[in-house]
Amino acid sequence: MAELSYAETAALRNVVSRAVNETQITDIHTHIYPPAFGDLLLWGVDELLTYHYLVAETMRYLNMGCDHFWALAKRSQADLIWKTLFIERSPISEACRGVLTVLDRLGLDVSTRSLDSYRRFFAGRNVEEYVDQVFELAGVKSVVMTNDPFDDAERPIWLSNKSVDSRFHAALRIDGLLNSWQAAVPRLREWGYKVNNEVNAETVDDVRRFLTDWLDRMNALYMAVSLPPTFEFPEHSPRGRLISECVLPVAIETGRPFAMMIGVKKLTNPGLRLAGDSVGRSSIEVIEHLCANYPDAKFLVTMLSRENQHELCVAARKFRNLHVFGCWWFLNNPSLINEITRMRLELLGLSVTPQHSDARVLDQLIYKWAHSRAIISEVLADKYIDLAAAGWRATEDEIRRDVADLFGGNFWNFVR
Ligand code: RAT
Ligand code: ZN
């Protein structure tokens, strides 16, 4: 046994924390866009405050109907959220704390509690420069977007062949195809794909063509979908057939992973809109089946329910075509990131991507990564300290190599 002294432990924690803070991250799932995408890129304090996580938290305290809230102008919504969550009580939830971390890292004085002064700070910014500043403060070198060809605001931008800032990688989002097939059919037909409500041979051919066309157009790194807890596969349904006959063959042929984000119950409270989704436990057998029966396909998987996390790690031990990523949405909280990251490292070593930001507002990159880095650093340091107790001293270079893998290297290896 070679227990570290107090000073050696502190020094090791320091090395790990420096490595974690200095490593430039590839953020593998976000909802942000480059400035060329115009209004799709959300940024600034009003967007931060009207984040749907904070809308849900605010509505718990208000005696106001959802329709009334949504009828307010964005600025008035932000005023109300600020007053309710930050002024009338202390902003201790993770999403509230996030807003303060962002303002603080931008050099604003949060102790003034002056929303108007924060607004003035943002009003004077040039968006291109601000993107650079946020990436710099967040220590992020590139992000993967969520790109939906069924989105009427986004599709024309891709069709116009704008060049895309190389820090922003695309991911082809196919919820529109897999989760609302009946609505997708007329749209696909309008765009020249010969598809029918029934997933027959002609439909299969043209959905494959649709997928490859858009993968190419976007130069997308992977295809992605969010799925309900009731997701089954194999399944004799349009979704089941589209996955087995279109998505997986295209994934195999193009070498692009299929990312599944599983466990979201859409619109449990419809009045809350985007804030109205909830969580449910999903079936791990579905993932095992996919990985076992499609060994040539690559699966990126994150699950929303805490209860699924352990079995997901075990599944990944069985299948190297399964890459586990992120602490998604309701799991992106310090206590859960700590628990889940620890479990993943213990079961999977360094072969995971422990976190993604899911940022919807550019500025959120700052807090999501500051908060996650602190926890991942603490967990990792504990692991190196345990190794040291067995006589294995990781060098600084080795630690930096490991951290680089966790913060993007593993993802790039998996994708390529
Ligand atoms: O975390 C979120 O912001 C959710 O609203 C979803 O966007 C989720 O991350 C998704 O990609 O479906
Ligand atoms: Zn997301």
Side-chain angles (χ1 to χ4, degrees):
M1 287 295 276
E3 284 291 345
L4 294 185
S5 68
Y6 182 80
E8 285 172 322
T9 305
L12 183 49
R13 285 199 180 280
N14 237 324
V15 169
V16 174
S17 148
R18 266 208 319 274
V20 165
N21 287 322
E22 288 168 12
T23 299
Q24 294 293 303
I25 291 173
T26 298
D27 189 344
I28 78 167
H29 170 61
T30 74
H31 298 262
I32 60 172
Y33 302 87
F37 282 54
D39 291 346
L40 287 177
L41 170 60
L42 305 181
W43 58 284
V45 71
D46 286 313
E47 298 296 349
L48 284 169
L49 287 171
T50 52
Y51 187 31
H52 68 85
Y53 294 27
L54 292 176
V55 171
E57 290 171 30
T58 301
M59 293 311 278
R60 293 186 52 71
Y61 295 111
L62 295 183
N63 191 10
M64 173 191 276
C66 292
D67 290 346
H68 185 167
F69 176 83
W70 293 119
L72 299 172
K74 178 159 284 176
R75 193 182 162 101
S76 307
Q77 292 174 359
D79 284 335
L80 186 57
I81 291 173
W82 178 253
K83 174 168 163 285
T84 308
L85 296 182
F86 293 77
I87 302 301
E88 292 178 349
R89 45 190 65 79
S90 298
I92 59 171
S93 78
E94 173 64 6
C96 284
R97 173 187 166 224
V99 175
L100 301 179
T101 301
V102 172
L103 299 177
D104 180 60
R105 298 275 167 121
L106 286 167
L108 296 165
D109 180 358
V110 297
S111 73
T112 66
R113 292 156 162 72
S114 160
L115 180 52
D116 281 339
S117 74
Y118 309 144
R119 281 183 170 137
R120 280 196 296 278
F121 168 87
F122 288 99
R125 323 267 336 159
N126 163 292
V127 66
E128 274 86 12
E129 284 167 21
Y130 190 53
V131 169
D132 295 344
Q133 186 186 4
V134 169
F135 273 56
E136 166 91 34
L137 283 172
V140 167
K141 68 175 167 209
S142 65
V143 302
V144 183
M145 305 176 278
T146 295
N147 304 104
D148 181 0
F150 288 91
D151 181 334
D152 290 331
E154 182 167 358
R155 195 177 57 262
I157 299 175
W158 290 105
L159 293 174
S160 73
N161 291 322
K162 271 209 173 87
S163 72
V164 180
D165 181 326
S166 62
R167 293 170 296 182
F168 291 78
H169 303 284
L172 174 57
R173 185 73 177 234
I174 52 175
D175 290 40
L177 197 65
L178 297 182
N179 295 335
S180 28
W181 174 243
Q182 301 307 329
V185 169
R187 313 228 50 206
L188 289 166
R189 292 176 75 93
E190 179 195 322
W191 302 331
Y193 298 97
K194 296 196 198 68
V195 298
N196 307 294
N197 284 336
E198 188 207 339
V199 183
N200 55 19
E202 187 179 50
T203 303
V204 165
D205 282 350
D206 269 34
V207 170
R208 288 190 194 177
R209 190 161 66 80
F210 167 77
L211 292 171
T212 48
D213 285 352
W214 279 93
L215 281 171
D216 288 350
R217 179 177 291 285
M218 294 173 168
N219 194 17
L221 295 176
Y222 57 79
M223 292 177 275
V225 66
S226 74
L227 294 159
T230 51
F231 173 52
E232 287 291 344
F233 188 89
E235 186 183 63
H236 195 78
S237 62
R239 181 166 61 208
R241 299 200 52 200
L242 290 164
I243 292 177
S244 65
E245 293 175 50
C246 307
V247 176
L248 293 172
V250 168
I252 293 167
E253 189 187 295
T254 61
R256 262 43 169 255
F258 179 35
M260 293 181 291
M261 311 180 63
I262 312 173
V264 50
K265 285 200 292 215
K266 286 279 178 203
L267 297 179
T268 300
N269 182 351
L272 287 174
R273 301 189 185 172
L274 206 50
D277 297 349
S278 189
V279 59
R281 186 178 174 159
S282 311
S283 150
I284 197 70
E285 286 73 22
V286 168
I287 295 170
E288 291 169 348
H289 178 96
L290 282 161
C291 293
N293 287 279
Y294 299 88
D296 297 329
K298 298 188 273 190
F299 300 96
L300 282 159
V301 175
T302 195
M303 295 180 90
L304 193 52
S305 156
R306 181 190 191 186
E307 288 68 30
N308 281 125
Q309 301 308 317
H310 182 251
E311 54 200 11
L312 179 60
C313 287
V314 176
R317 291 176 67 87
K318 312 299 146 194
F319 300 105
R320 67 164 175 243
N321 59 339
L322 169 57
H323 188 82
V324 174
F325 74 97
C327 297
W328 179 27
W329 201 343
F330 310 115
L331 297 173
N332 193 348
N333 292 304
S335 59
L336 295 170
I337 301 169
N338 189 319
E339 163 187 305
I340 293 167
T341 305
R342 238 169 246 286
M343 177 166 62
R344 286 174 176 169
L345 297 185
E346 286 160 10
L347 280 161
L348 296 168
L350 293 158
S351 66
V352 299
T353 297
Q355 191 56 308
H356 67 272
S357 76
D358 235 310
R360 280 184 175 265
V361 181
L362 170 71
D363 331 39
Q364 289 171 341
L365 289 177
I366 299 172
Y367 94 78
K368 301 250 186 186
W369 283 112
H371 295 188
S372 287
R373 269 190 164 102
I375 301 159
I376 294 168
S377 169
E378 182 194 319
V379 173
L380 260 183
D382 286 348
K383 297 299 162 201
Y384 291 117
I385 290 166
D386 290 346
L387 293 184
W392 182 281
R393 304 282 176 107
T395 66
E396 177 155 357
D397 284 351
E398 288 169 339
I399 290 171
R400 285 184 178 270
R401 171 203 61 197
D402 297 346
V403 172
D405 285 347
L406 293 175
F407 284 161
N410 290 332
F411 168 75
W412 285 112
N413 282 337
F414 191 73
V415 167
R416 287 175 182 140

